[in-house]
Amino acid sequence: MSEANSKQASDAYAQKTGDELVGMLREKDAQISKLLHELEVLRKMHFGPRSEKSKKPLDPKALLPFPGIAELLERVAQAKKEREAAAAIQALTAATATAEASPTAPTAAAPKKSRGPRGDFPDHLPRKVTRIEIPEDQRRAACGKVKKPIGVEVTQELEHVRITYVHRIETVKYACADHPEEGVQKAPGRTPVIEGGLLGPGFLAQLIVDHFGDHMPYARLERKFGHEGIDLARSVLCRSVLRCGELLAPLFEALKKEVLGAFLVQADETPVIVRNGNKAGRKRSYIWIYRSDDGNCLFQLCAGRGNEWPVAILGNYRGFVQSDAYAGYDILFRHGNDRIPIGCWSHLRRKFEDAANSAPELHAEIDAMLKLLFKLEADAKDHSAESRQKWRDDLVRPLLAQIKDWLDAKIMAVLPKSPMGEAIKHARKHWVDFTNFLRDGRIKDITNNAAERALRQVAVGRKNWMFIGHEDAGPAAGTLMSLIQTCREHRVNPIDYFRDVLVRISEPGSSARIRDLLPATWKSAAGAAQRQADARLAIANVVKSLVYG
């Protein structure tokens, strides 16, 4: 600060009364405290652990000062004993029934196989056997006899062979020389995925997963193929992948119907940079995710973060909407009861974690209750919907009443704009949203973490491909990301899936069976396992038929 500015500031302070100066100091102290808190939060985000799981176990003593907690803990322990006893009886009944059905079955369970680094490899992988022997003239004993084999020492190791080959398709044409008016008859062949394209379905499937599943930029893929002696420009790779996204657009619409047909949808968003092709300029856009409770995921690239974007997708939806309390979703719940908001307890817990340093004692109290809440929910994870509803009514609802009483009592004991005050205010403001999960036992998760984990794939990819090249690529990118993540949620190999679906959707009449090509139905369809086995066998047999030169 210059001497003139310093003198001007001193004169300004000199004109203040004592009370005004004290008020200014308090305001600056509050501002400094807020900035220090924000700095601590940023440090924790950058350097802190990524896992939200607390390493400190739940301490029942921390809960005892609150009325009714001791009785609640006893009921939790009793319910756990009853459930364990019921599970033991059920297991004994099942074992007895099995023994009666199979009298010769052994009574003792077979020991589990070790899954160490030298354990068995998956059965679907092809095998190659190399037998190492000693020549007969080198294995003679001192008596002159030839040593006989007495056993084999077996070791196994994984090998990987990446083969790019040219699939030459020769379609034979037929004609009659005596009757040329009959025209030419051509043998029926497979419809190409991309008309006039250079890449086959297997190559395209690998390319899609490499870029949108494993986040490899086109420039890196171009260089990787160059190492194999294949000259494929990144423009060719980009156009081919986007054409696949356009071809699979009907699957995106079918997936959208599946998501909007679920009783609960989770929503979240993350920013991405979108360029204007080869022209100068870039802008900030957002990728939104809508995830149904059964694992179907819908990604959509939007130009902004305003409330018009979730309204465009969820405007006619009826059911539960689980989100992170972002204000952009509020418009969905203003009119009628078609959509019911569900709060995310992980977001609330993070707010109290961020405020821990500003009020350690209060944080210890609320942290103990939140740990108990998450423990109760974890214990009910595998329950049926009816059993989970009863569990929550008996055990979770009383605990939430204790948390609400604590929030109402402590709001007057903290500064409103302090980190702890802001966390308590947030919890009280959205309390109805946070407790709406009690309304339906089908709601398995009180957090929005599943949608966040799915959206994290975009965040990881963003660090690699940096930006989306053009906004026109948004729909195709959203389609492919949606299908890849949905495959992962349903434990479907995305490469096998795309290799099969790209061929089937290119065939005439595919529009009548679009729903059968979604990952969940594709996995459970009759013959799906056999198709995958046949595809793997065909790939293995390709090596035998390759001709060099």
Side-chain angles (χ1 to χ4, degrees):
M1 182 182 293
S2 65
E3 184 177 347
N5 291 338
S6 178
K7 185 177 184 303
Q8 186 178 0
S10 299
D11 293 341
Y13 285 126
Q15 296 174 4
K16 302 290 184 181
T17 64
D19 291 340
E20 289 175 334
L21 290 173
V22 171
M24 292 176 65
L25 286 174
R26 288 177 178 171
E27 184 178 348
K28 288 188 177 294
D29 283 344
Q31 186 178 10
I32 292 172
S33 176
K34 181 181 179 181
L35 292 174
L36 289 174
H37 169 68
E38 291 178 353
L39 177 61
E40 180 63 26
V41 172
L42 291 173
R43 286 171 58 87
K44 187 182 296 184
M45 290 174 58
H46 191 71
F47 300 108
R50 294 294 184 266
S51 175
E52 292 185 2
K53 294 183 179 180
S54 175
K55 296 182 180 179
K56 297 180 181 179
L58 174 63
D59 183 8
K61 295 181 180 179
L63 295 164
L64 293 180
F66 302 100
I69 289 293
E71 293 79 1
L72 179 60
L73 290 174
E74 291 180 2
R75 294 173 65 187
V76 172
Q78 182 62 29
K80 184 178 180 180
K81 290 180 180 179
E82 292 175 357
R83 191 177 66 173
E84 290 176 348
I89 294 174
Q90 184 177 4
L92 181 62
T93 303
T96 303
T98 304
E100 291 176 354
S102 305
T104 58
T107 55
K112 293 184 177 180
K113 295 182 179 180
S114 172
R115 298 297 298 175
R118 294 293 178 180
D120 292 337
F121 295 120
D123 294 335
H124 71 269
L125 295 179
R127 260 64 175 175
K128 175 185 177 181
V129 178
T130 299
R131 188 177 181 91
I132 304 175
E133 297 182 310
I134 302 176
E136 182 176 329
D137 59 344
Q138 297 180 17
R139 50 186 168 93
R140 291 189 176 277
C143 62
K145 294 183 178 180
V146 178
K147 296 178 181 178
K148 302 295 184 182
I150 60 172
V152 177
E153 180 180 317
V154 178
T155 59
Q156 295 189 106
E157 59 185 17
L158 280 175
E159 274 288 0
H160 181 75
V161 179
R162 181 182 176 111
I163 297 179
T164 303
Y165 63 95
V166 177
H167 187 188
R168 179 184 173 93
I169 304 174
E170 298 178 348
T171 304
V172 181
K173 298 185 293 184
Y174 302 87
C176 179
D178 297 333
H179 300 280
E181 68 278 2
E182 293 183 2
V184 177
Q185 184 181 4
K186 187 170 66 172
R190 174 177 60 82
T191 303
V193 176
I194 300 176
E195 188 67 34
L198 298 174
L199 311 179
F203 197 107
L204 291 170
Q206 184 69 57
L207 189 58
I208 291 170
V209 177
D210 280 349
H211 184 67
F212 286 110
D214 297 329
H215 321 298
M216 296 185 68
Y218 291 121
R220 198 179 303 166
L221 288 168
E222 179 185 33
R223 186 166 60 249
K224 185 180 75 167
F225 292 126
H227 295 162
E228 300 179 31
I230 304 171
D231 184 15
L232 278 176
R234 70 188 72 175
S235 59
V236 174
L237 303 178
C238 179
R239 286 197 302 269
S240 299
V241 170
L242 292 183
R243 181 67 188 95
C244 290
E246 295 168 356
L247 185 66
L248 297 172
L251 291 182
F252 180 87
E253 295 301 322
L255 192 62
K256 180 179 176 180
K257 292 181 180 179
E258 294 292 316
V259 171
L260 297 181
F263 84 96
L264 181 144
V265 173
Q266 298 174 319
D268 205 352
E269 75 290 330
T270 191
V272 293
I273 299 299
V274 178
R275 292 190 60 182
N276 189 19
N278 294 326
K279 299 179 181 179
R282 57 177 61 194
K283 62 182 179 180
R284 185 185 182 94
S285 298
Y286 284 83
I287 289 183
W288 298 69
I289 182 174
Y290 304 94
R291 180 188 181 276
S292 63
D293 62 294
D294 54 356
N296 291 320
C297 296
L298 200 70
F299 289 92
Q300 188 175 39
L301 177 67
C302 301
R305 201 187 180 204
N307 56 22
E308 67 271 21
W309 303 110
V311 168
I313 294 293
L314 301 175
N316 295 322
Y317 172 72
R318 294 187 176 185
F320 294 97
V321 179
Q322 194 169 36
S323 65
D324 57 3
Y326 166 53
Y329 300 108
D330 292 348
I331 192 174
L332 296 171
F333 315 114
R334 289 178 184 171
H335 307 291
N337 297 319
D338 290 342
R339 290 167 294 278
I340 302 171
I342 303 290
C344 175
W345 281 89
S346 281
H347 279 81
L348 181 59
R349 181 170 60 179
R350 289 173 209 160
K351 287 186 176 293
F352 283 110
E353 285 288 339
D354 293 340
N357 292 337
S358 66
E361 293 182 0
L362 294 181
H363 173 260
E365 294 176 2
I366 188 63
D367 183 60
M369 288 188 285
L370 291 178
K371 283 181 179 177
L372 179 56
L373 172 64
F374 276 87
K375 181 181 184 303
L376 289 175
E377 285 297 315
D379 289 344
K381 182 178 180 180
D382 297 328
H383 287 198
S384 65
E386 295 77 10
S387 176
R388 187 182 299 109
Q389 185 67 52
K390 185 177 185 305
W391 176 273
R392 285 172 174 166
D393 289 340
D394 293 343
L395 302 175
V396 177
R397 196 179 291 273
L399 175 60
L400 292 177
Q402 295 291 338
I403 295 177
K404 183 61 166 62
D405 291 341
W406 184 91
L407 294 171
D408 293 340
K410 299 304 179 182
I411 189 62
M412 304 301 296
V414 295
L415 294 174
K417 293 187 178 181
S418 66
M420 183 58 70
E422 292 287 352
I424 294 176
K425 183 169 64 175
H426 177 80
R428 296 178 78 244
K429 177 182 178 181
H430 299 282
W431 184 251
V432 174
D433 298 356
F434 285 123
T435 56
N436 272 339
F437 73 92
L438 296 172
R439 300 175 61 163
D440 197 323
R442 292 177 298 170
I443 301 175
K444 299 178 182 179
D445 198 348
I446 62 173
T447 75
N448 202 37
N449 289 349
E452 285 193 4
R453 286 192 297 269
L455 197 60
R456 193 173 297 146
Q457 300 300 321
V458 178
V460 173
R462 186 175 56 206
K463 295 180 179 179
N464 289 271
W465 35 257
M466 302 296 289
F467 53 81
I468 293 177
H470 198 284
E471 61 182 6
D472 292 344
T479 296
L480 297 175
M481 286 191 289
S482 300
L483 293 173
I484 288 175
Q485 185 59 35
T486 302
C487 281
R488 288 172 171 166
E489 297 273 354
H490 292 285
R491 300 183 182 277
V492 172
N493 185 325
I495 297 178
D496 291 345
Y497 171 77
F498 282 112
R499 185 188 296 118
D500 181 51
V501 168
L502 283 172
V503 173
R504 296 174 66 186
I505 203 170
S506 303
E507 297 171 349
S510 61
S511 58
R513 55 177 188 275
I514 287 297
R515 192 176 181 277
D516 295 339
L517 301 182
L518 293 177
T521 49
W522 181 85
K523 177 183 178 180
S524 59
Q530 185 60 45
R531 282 200 309 271
Q532 294 182 65
D534 292 343
R536 293 192 185 102
L537 181 60
I539 293 172
N541 290 334
V542 162
V543 180
K544 300 178 182 178
S545 59
L546 289 181
V547 176
Y548 287 86

